[in-house]
Amino acid sequence: MSTVIETKGLGRDYGDLVAVDALNLEIQQGELFALLGPNGGGKTTTVGLLTTLLRPSRGSARVAGYDVASQPAEVRRHIGVVFQGPSLDEQLTAWENLDFHARIYNMPRPLFRQRAAELLALVELAERQHEPVRNFSGGMRRRLELARGLLHQPQVLFLDEPTVGLDPQTRRAIWGYLAALRQQAGVTIFLTTHYLEEAEDCDRTAIIDGGKLVALDTPAALKATLGGDVLHIRVTDVVAASELLRQRAQLEPRQGPDGLVVEVADGPRRIPEVVALLDGAGIAVQAVNLRRPSLEHVFIKLTGRAIRAETAEPSEALGQRGRIGRRERGGGR
Amino acid sequence: MSALYTIWLRDLTRFLRNRSRIVTSLAQPLLYLAIFGTGLSSLLSGTSSLGGVGFTAFVYPGVIGLTIMFTALFTAISVVYDREFGFLKEVLVSPAPRLAVALGKVASGSTIALLQGVLTLPLAWLLGLPLTLGQVAQLVGIMAVLAAVCTALGLLVSTRLRGIEGYNVIINFLMMPLFLLSGALFPLAGLPGWMNVLVRINPMAYATDALRQVVLAGAAQPGFLAASRLHPVSLDVLVLLGFFIVFLVPAVRAFSKQE
Ligand SMILES: Nc1ncnc2c1ncn2[C@@H]1O[C@H](COP(=O)(O)OP(=O)(O)OP(=O)(O)O)[C@@H](O)[C@H]1O
Ligand SMILES: [Mg+2]
C-alpha cells in the first residue's frame, strides 16, 4: 500500500475568500475516500486543486506521486475526473465525446473501441450512443460523463458528486462497478457526495466545512464519536423541552431540522422516561423516533447544518423527507 | 501532435454538422457585395480612378477579407463557449499539452475561415474577373495567412475575457474599424497622416492589399495596382505573418496559464 494522494497545508483563496484552508490528507492506494460538506464547503475547490485545474494558494499536494503544481502534466496522465458541472460537447454524439476523450488521452484504438462499448453498456447508453448529447436527459449526460471518466483506466478517480440526478438503480449499478474496479484494479477513488449512504460505504470520510477539515475517519469511527443512539423528539415547545431535558435528564439536546435531537447511550430504554418527563411538564410530545447513529448526525453535529438531502429514496420515519433545512443552522451547539 | 489534431477534428466536425451556419455565411459575402457594390457604385458613378474596373470588382477582395475575418473571429469564440459550457475542463484536465490545445484551436479556426474564404472565390467569375489557377493558388495562400492572423486575434481576445458578451462587445468594436480602414471600400493612397497610422497597424489593410493585387492582376489598367498598393504581395504576406506571431504568442501564453 502506498500513498496516492497527499496534501500538506493545502489552501486556496478566491480574492479575500478562503475557500480551502490548511488541508492535510493522506489517501492510500485502493482507498475509497469520501469528502462530505455543505454547499460552499470547499469540495469542488479541493477537487480542482488535486486535479491541477486550480493552482494552490498555499501548501502542496501530490497525486499519484507527482506534485500538482510543478508536475501537472504527470498528474493529469494518471487521473480521471468527473466534474460537478456539465463538461460534455452537446453537439457531438455520445460516441464522439468518448472518441475525443480517447484521442486526447492517446488510447490505442482497439482498446478504446472495446472499453467504450463496455462502458456504454454499463451506463445503459449503448442504444443511444450515436445521438447527439443535446438530446440526452440530465441523468443520461451524467452517466456518459461517468463512462468517459473511466474510459482511459485512470489510477486515481476524482468524482465530484457523481451520482446526483441518477435514479436509484443506476446509482447502485455505478456504485457496484466502482467497488469492483477498486478491488480488481486497485483504483483509488476520491469522491464528494451528498448521499450519506454512499459516504457510509466508503473506507474513510472527511467532513469539510468553511474550507476546513472538521473530521476525518472511517464512517464507523465517526459514528462512534456520537454517544450511541439518537432520539428525534418532536414537541410543541422546543425551547422549554430542551431546557427540561438538559436539567432533569442530564441530556444534551440539539435543535435538529425536525425537532430535538438527543444522543443517548441506550435509546429504547430512555424513551419512556423522556416522554413521561415532558408529559409531566405539560409539553405535548408529537413523535419520538429512535435512530442508530448515522453520518448525517455526525455531519449535523460537526457543521451545525443538515446536509442538503436530495435523496432519491424517501428517508425513514418522522415524515422527514425531501430537502431538510438547507440554510438554517441547528442550534444547541 | 495528436492532441492538436483531436482539437481540430472536433471543431471541424461541429462546423460541418452545422449546415445552417454554412449557408448563412455563404449568403453573407453576396449580401456585402450587393450592398457595397450596387449601393456605393451608383453613388460613385463616373469616377474613373479605380483602374478601369467597376466598383464592385474593386470591393470584391475586401469582401473576401471581411468574410474570413468575420468567420475567424466568430469561430474563435468557441474557446469562450467551451469555457462557459464546461467542455474546456475536460480538455484542461487531460494530458494534452496546453500549447497543442491552443494551436489546435488556431488550426481549426483558420481552416474554417479559409474554407469560407474559398467559397467566395466563385464570385469572381460572376463579376467578370476569371481567375487563373495560379491566381487561385496565391489567393488561397493569402487567405490562409489572414485566417490564421484573425483566429489568433480572436484567441487572444478570448483568453483575456470571461463571458460571451464581453467577447462580442470587443469583437464588434474591433471589426468595423478593421474593415473600414482596410482599404476595402476606398484606395488608401492620400489619406491624412493619423488615418495612415491606423491603416499601418491594421492587418486587414495588408490582406486586402495583397488580395486585390492578385484578384485584379489581369483586369485593372496597367500601373493602377502598382500605384495604389501598400506593398508588393510578398511583403504584405510577411507583415501578416508578423501580426500572426504578435497575436499568437501572448494568446498561447495566456491560454496555457489559465485555470
Ligand atoms: N471561481 C470562484 N470565484 C470566487 N469564489 C469561488 C469560486 N469558486 C468557488 N468559490 C467559493 O469558494 C467556496 C467553496 O466553493 P466550492 O465550489 O469548493 O464548494 P462545494 O463544497 O463544492 O459546494 P457545493 O456542494 O455547492 O458544490 C464557496 O464559498 C464559493 O463561493
Ligand atoms: Mg461542489
Side-chain angles (χ1 to χ4, degrees), chain A residues 196-213:
Chain A
L196 290 145
E197 63 277 21
E198 287 182 358
E200 302 253 4
D201 286 341
C202 290
D203 297 322
R204 283 192 306 157
T205 297
I207 297 179
I208 189 171
D209 186 25
K212 286 205 166 64
L213 209 61

Side-chain angles (χ1 to χ4, degrees), chain A residues 23-24 29 60 95 131 140 189 225 229 250 297:
Chain A
L23 201 60
N24 292 306
Q29 196 208 326
S60 66
W95 181 268
E131 263 183 68
M140 291 165 69
I189 302 174
T225 62
D229 299 335
Q250 283 75 50
H297 302 117

